[in-house]
Amino acid sequence: MIPLRGRVKSISVPRVGYRWSGAVEVSVNKAEVVLLMAGTVAQWLRPGEEVILEVLSDPKPVDGRLVLERSDYMLWRVWGGEEVLVWPPWSREFRLQRKDPLGKGVVYEYRVLAREAVTERDYLEIVQLEQYHYASKEEVVAVWRCPVCGRYAEGNVPPKCPEHGVPMKLHEIRASLPSSRFLILELVSRKEYEPRVVGYVRMDTPIPLMSRRLPDGRVEKLVRERFFPKSWFHPTFWPEALAKRSELLRRYRELYSIYGSRKIARTALGEEIWEEALKWANTAAARVARVVIHPDYRGDGLGVLAVEAAIQWVAERRIPEMKKRKHVIEVIAQMARYNPFFEKAGFKYMWDTASGRPVLMYPLSEEARERIENYLKTDPLGRLHGGRLYRPRFGRVEPLAGPIVLERVSKEYSSELDISGMPPDLQEVLRAFGVEKRRVERFVLRDVNITIEPGDVVAVVGASGAGKTTLLRIIYGAATSTNDPAYKPSEGEVKAPDNARASALLPGELEPVFGEETLLEHVARKVGDPATAVEILSYVGLSDAVFFRARFKELSTGQKERAKLASLLAERPNLIIIDEFTAHLDTLTATRVARKIGKILREAGITGIIATNRPEVLEALSPTEILLVGYGTVTQLGPR
């Protein structure tokens, strides 16, 4: 059907569930048609404005009105002579390939659908993810409202109304704004046990005012207006400006007296002023307000993918207002100092706000690109950093000064079998099998000759009991000069360079010791610097305040393996020895953790010796050498 021009007649957005429920009535060809859509989109339209409607399916008569369901039409708003598509919601599928640490082959792949959140289920998923963003597990992230009486309550799961006993409906996500738009990342291909939604990006209008802090401590106000047109950032969604009116302050006090909560009072008052603020907002900029990735998928490139998808969403749909063409996207994020995923997505560091938080920008137009480049070339502070914020603190370690060499190494174990101390009935059973008293002597390793070069990532494979752990013990013993007989060969010599600094993870034997301290405290104490500790935790995929303040016992199994790796890295070793670290992990998690370890070892210049029998782990590690241990023998198989 040919698109038809018409006018918006009215907008209907309910107070409860406004983000996913809404309707717009339009007049087209002397007929009125009701378009069902998400309230987070409908709320931006205004009666009288021009729209273009393309009907895909015949409207349905409902109570004497013609109604188009969400999938029955397309709608453009006409703004400044340009057509801006506002419905259907934006969506795009992405493929994120995770290659081996050497970049030669694809180990696994994410198929991700990035789309705007438009259903109640989408927002309930966001609430669950939102809890991972906060620094304290006691933080409440959502406001709920009774659909019967309108009573408010706070909680991380839907509470029941104390008066009517019905489940409350999600009303608002704490810290978000009525103007906020949410882009979710949904796994297209996933295992049954994997989450449906693994991340989201929240987009807002720019903050109303911005100052920058100068090196001498002075604060320069209205800094954006020095380098960009004022109309790019104003007028923005700013309900606080309206809230300064005396009558609204009186209303706030009244609501506070009713609910006894400032948070709930602010939420209720916001409903009474947000429509006015939405009318005013019309900027040529957008702001990334939040990026949250599911904790089991951190450090795997999904954060960068989420930001790149949001960039396309903003550019194509002019999010959030869907009015002016967007020139720039800004983000204010302290985390950008410790994790460079915004810079990997193409953002440039600009300055620090008066409160010390870094501001980064992404140009969506050639004019914006030129203005950002001009700032970085001409401004004294811009020239100083050149648009780069993230500076690695961990860096590379001092590599091993030479190879680890095993020459004619043997390890013999002996044991006495004596049943005399056992109960008589058990002795009788063992005698039936010919067991009474015996001395068992055997070589676990025999005449082993191998060389491990500095920077190698070595995989040790072999059947259980074949001697893999014994080989790791002997290498660790040579690197640490221990006198423990269990870590010394029976015969032969193990040579390790004098500068070897070894850290080991041999489950049940050599493991990092975690107490009641938080992960950040644990790693910071080892590495000696809180900022580097944050970087290390982010490095292994524990990149959020909820993990920084978590205790080891509060983590999932996969997160515990990453925490152990962070603890080893905090010792800044140049040799890491790990035995069967993925034994208790599912295939997907084991693959992700193994790939991360292989990548970290190579980037830091650490020699790694890792025992495993899992083929997916071998593939993800991409070892430079595979050692096959087989009941006394060790065979070098070469790289995978």
Side-chain angles (χ1 to χ4, degrees):
M1 184 176 290
I2 299 174
L4 303 172
R5 289 184 177 264
R7 297 278 177 182
V8 174
K9 185 176 181 181
S10 64
I11 298 100
S12 174
V13 179
R15 298 186 73 185
V16 178
Y18 77 91
R19 288 201 180 276
W20 55 87
S21 297
V24 175
E25 186 175 15
V26 298
S27 298
V28 180
N29 277 2
K30 300 181 181 180
E32 277 71 44
V33 183
V34 176
L35 314 176
L36 301 183
M37 66 173 67
T40 193
V41 178
Q43 67 181 1
W44 291 100
L45 300 172
R46 289 289 168 263
E49 71 172 279
E50 186 179 5
V51 293
I52 300 174
L53 175 66
E54 181 176 352
V55 179
L56 306 178
S57 299
D58 291 336
K60 302 173 181 64
V62 179
D63 296 333
R65 307 169 78 188
L66 295 177
V67 177
L68 288 171
E69 300 284 350
R70 294 185 177 207
S71 59
D72 292 344
Y73 67 94
M74 299 178 69
L75 185 70
W76 291 260
R77 114 189 289 172
V78 179
W79 191 270
E82 296 180 314
E83 299 171 6
V84 183
L85 182 63
V86 299
W87 194 266
W90 187 89
S91 67
R92 184 154 300 157
E93 184 174 321
F94 295 85
R95 290 178 179 266
L96 178 62
Q97 294 183 335
R98 301 289 79 192
K99 295 186 177 181
D100 62 56
L102 300 178
K104 294 181 179 179
V106 177
V107 180
Y108 55 93
E109 178 185 75
Y110 293 109
R111 285 183 59 204
V112 176
L113 180 65
R115 62 176 181 82
E116 181 167 9
V118 291
T119 69
E120 184 175 11
R121 183 185 177 191
D122 291 341
Y123 284 98
L124 290 174
E125 296 268 16
I126 290 169
V127 169
Q128 294 303 308
L129 285 171
E130 182 76 358
Q131 296 178 66
Y132 296 121
H133 187 273
Y134 282 83
S136 170
K137 64 182 180 181
E138 290 83 18
E139 189 74 40
V140 178
V141 303
V143 176
W144 309 80
R145 189 173 184 183
C146 176
V148 179
C149 65
R151 178 189 294 268
Y152 292 99
E154 297 174 291
N156 292 339
V157 294
K160 286 188 176 180
C161 176
E163 182 175 348
H164 295 91
V166 298
M168 289 184 160
K169 290 287 189 178
L170 177 64
H171 178 70
E172 191 57 274
I173 298 171
R174 284 258 328 276
S176 67
L177 301 171
S179 58
S180 301
R181 305 280 288 269
F182 290 84
L183 187 75
I184 62 174
L185 299 187
E186 188 174 29
L187 290 180
V188 175
S189 56
R190 62 188 178 94
K191 302 295 183 182
E192 293 78 5
Y193 54 83
E194 288 192 285
R196 182 176 70 95
V197 176
V198 293
Y200 76 86
V201 182
R202 191 185 109 200
M203 297 301 305
D204 282 328
T205 59
I207 64 170
L209 304 172
M210 184 181 292
S211 303
R212 73 168 172 173
R213 186 176 61 187
L214 301 175
D216 60 7
R218 291 183 297 115
V219 172
E220 181 182 8
K221 295 185 177 182
L222 300 176
V223 62
R224 289 178 308 198
E225 288 73 12
R226 278 194 57 196
F227 306 103
F228 303 97
K230 181 179 178 180
S231 60
W232 285 13
F233 303 95
H234 306 280
T236 189
F237 181 79
W238 194 8
E240 287 81 359
L242 299 173
K244 292 177 181 178
R245 298 176 182 175
S246 58
E247 62 271 21
L248 293 176
L249 288 174
R250 285 195 298 271
R251 178 61 176 157
Y252 170 77
R253 296 187 188 101
E254 179 184 348
L255 290 168
Y256 177 62
S257 67
I258 294 173
Y259 293 106
S261 167
R262 290 184 174 85
K263 296 173 185 176
I264 293 179
R266 283 196 296 268
T267 300
L269 182 63
E271 291 182 357
E272 301 177 10
I273 62 174
W274 64 286
E275 277 196 43
E276 191 68 23
L278 287 171
K279 291 178 184 177
W280 283 90
N282 186 15
T283 70
R287 174 169 61 93
V288 179
R290 188 154 293 176
V291 180
V292 178
I293 302 298
H294 190 288
D296 290 342
Y297 296 80
R298 299 265 169 87
D300 216 14
L302 286 171
V304 178
L305 174 64
V307 173
E308 290 175 341
I311 291 170
Q312 295 183 34
W313 183 38
V314 171
E316 295 175 20
R317 296 294 183 92
R318 306 184 183 185
I319 301 300
E321 310 103 308
M322 305 176 297
K323 296 178 182 177
K324 288 181 182 176
R325 186 179 299 276
K326 300 296 181 183
H327 283 282
V328 70
I329 301 176
E330 68 181 16
V331 63
I332 307 168
Q334 192 67 265
M335 194 60 199
R337 296 191 190 279
Y338 312 105
N339 193 316
F341 69 85
F342 279 109
E343 291 181 76
K344 287 182 178 179
F347 279 71
K348 296 291 185 180
Y349 171 53
M350 302 295 285
W351 50 70
D352 284 358
T353 64
S355 61
R357 294 186 298 163
V359 176
L360 296 90
M361 290 187 177
Y362 183 94
L364 292 174
S365 66
E366 186 59 33
E367 182 183 354
R369 190 180 310 278
E370 291 175 355
R371 287 179 178 275
I372 290 173
E373 290 178 355
N374 182 64
Y375 163 76
L376 296 175
K377 290 177 182 178
T378 61
D379 184 82
L381 289 182
R383 288 200 307 268
L384 191 63
H385 57 70
R388 183 183 175 192
L389 173 65
Y390 176 73
R391 307 282 175 174
R393 293 170 173 82
F394 187 82
R396 293 179 64 84
V397 302
E398 178 191 13
L400 292 176
I404 298 170
V405 181
L406 282 71
E407 295 180 347
R408 303 185 64 83
V409 167
S410 297
K411 182 66 175 179
E412 181 182 357
Y413 280 111
S414 63
S415 61
E416 293 262 354
L417 298 179
D418 187 354
I419 67 173
S420 61
M422 300 181 68
D425 56 339
L426 297 181
Q427 290 187 38
E428 183 178 349
V429 172
L430 291 172
R431 286 193 183 98
F433 287 91
V435 177
E436 187 164 354
K437 188 172 184 178
R438 188 175 301 170
R439 181 178 179 85
V440 177
E441 295 180 336
R442 67 186 181 94
F443 281 103
V444 181
L445 298 175
R446 187 168 189 175
D447 201 24
V448 172
N449 295 279
I450 58 174
T451 299
I452 298 171
E453 297 292 342
D456 275 356
V457 176
V458 179
V460 181
V461 301
S464 297
K468 301 190 301 296
T469 303
T470 299
L471 178 62
L472 299 186
R473 283 196 195 105
I474 288 175
I475 295 173
Y476 180 77
T480 57
S481 302
T482 180
N483 292 320
D484 188 335
Y487 294 83
K488 287 184 172 295
S490 303
E491 297 177 7
E493 184 179 9
V494 183
K495 299 177 183 177
D498 293 337
N499 74 330
R501 298 189 308 277
S503 294
L505 174 58
L506 306 181
E509 188 174 334
L510 293 174
E511 294 190 64
V513 178
F514 294 90
E516 290 299 313
E517 78 278 14
T518 65
L519 290 189
L520 183 59
E521 290 170 330
H522 176 91
V523 176
R525 184 173 64 243
K526 278 193 167 185
V527 77
D529 174 49
T532 307
V534 170
E535 182 178 279
I536 291 173
L537 288 168
S538 299
Y539 211 19
V540 301
L542 297 174
S543 54
D544 210 325
V546 72
F547 297 119
F548 301 159
R549 295 179 67 175
R551 290 164 176 77
F552 183 77
K553 63 183 181 182
E554 297 170 342
L555 304 178
S556 69
T557 302
Q559 292 158 10
K560 284 179 178 177
E561 297 302 330
R562 298 181 186 190
K564 291 176 184 178
L565 178 59
S567 183
L568 296 186
L569 289 173
E571 297 170 3
R572 294 193 61 84
N574 52 17
L575 172 63
I576 283 183
I577 299 171
I578 304 177
D579 186 17
E580 296 289 3
F581 68 100
T582 62
H584 303 293
L585 302 180
D586 63 85
T587 301
L588 286 175
T589 304
T591 303
R592 293 187 189 110
V593 174
R595 177 181 172 274
K596 173 64 69 174
I597 288 177
K599 188 170 183 287
I600 290 172
L601 294 178
R602 287 174 167 89
E603 289 178 352
I606 300 171
T607 303
I609 306 173
I610 301 168
T612 183
N613 276 327
R614 302 180 65 165
E616 70 274 13
V617 172
L618 280 177
E619 183 180 6
L621 281 173
S622 293
T624 52
E625 185 70 59
I626 297 177
L627 302 180
L628 174 61
V629 181
Y631 299 100
T633 65
V634 178
T635 305
Q636 292 188 258
L637 301 180
R640 180 175 175 80

